[in-house]
Amino acid sequence: MADLGGGAAQLAERARALLARGEHRLAGHFAQMATDADPQSRDSHQARVDVFGRLEQGATSTMAKGIYGWAVAESRAFLDGSDHATELKAKTAGRARWAF
């Protein structure tokens, strides 16, 4: 899929363009494909943080917020050189243990 779409960089760019147009869910697909195509791409992970962060903000269900938040934490861990657990703990600091 990534080859058909021009590679991870093109997919990440397309995700950002879709996000800017308000097509958040479709942007999520492109951001995820970009990261899957090149898991070592900082640009793809940053696009994923931007897109899934916006999806998380707009989500109304706890499950959706959790899924989007997980993706954000996973990509932030890559970008910050930390680990997923550290990012999740930072994200929930000051909240009740069960609240995401």
Side-chain angles (χ1 to χ4, degrees), residues 6-7 13 18-19 32 34-35 46 66 85 91-92:
E13 184 178 319
L18 288 164
L19 183 64
Q32 186 64 50
T35 305
Q46 186 59 58
K91 185 174 194 50
T92 59

Side-chain angles (χ1 to χ4, degrees), residues 5 8-21 23 26-27 30-31:
Q10 286 291 101
L11 293 172
E13 184 178 319
R14 181 73 173 145
R16 286 189 186 93
L18 288 164
L19 183 64
R21 287 198 335 228
E23 296 184 48
L26 186 55
F30 276 83

Side-chain angles (χ1 to χ4, degrees), residues 8-69:
Q10 286 291 101
L11 293 172
E13 184 178 319
R14 181 73 173 145
R16 286 189 186 93
L18 288 164
L19 183 64
R21 287 198 335 228
E23 296 184 48
H24 302 159
R25 288 185 182 171
L26 186 55
H29 291 292
F30 276 83
Q32 186 64 50
M33 282 191 289
T35 305
D36 289 344
D38 186 357
Q40 299 304 310
S41 167
R42 294 187 63 78
D43 185 48
S44 294
H45 278 283
Q46 186 59 58
R48 190 172 182 230
V49 166
D50 297 342
V51 171
F52 281 91
R54 183 78 59 85
L55 283 165
E56 181 185 12
Q57 288 172 354
T60 57
S61 78
T62 302
M63 182 172 278
K65 285 184 177 293
I67 291 167
Y68 299 141

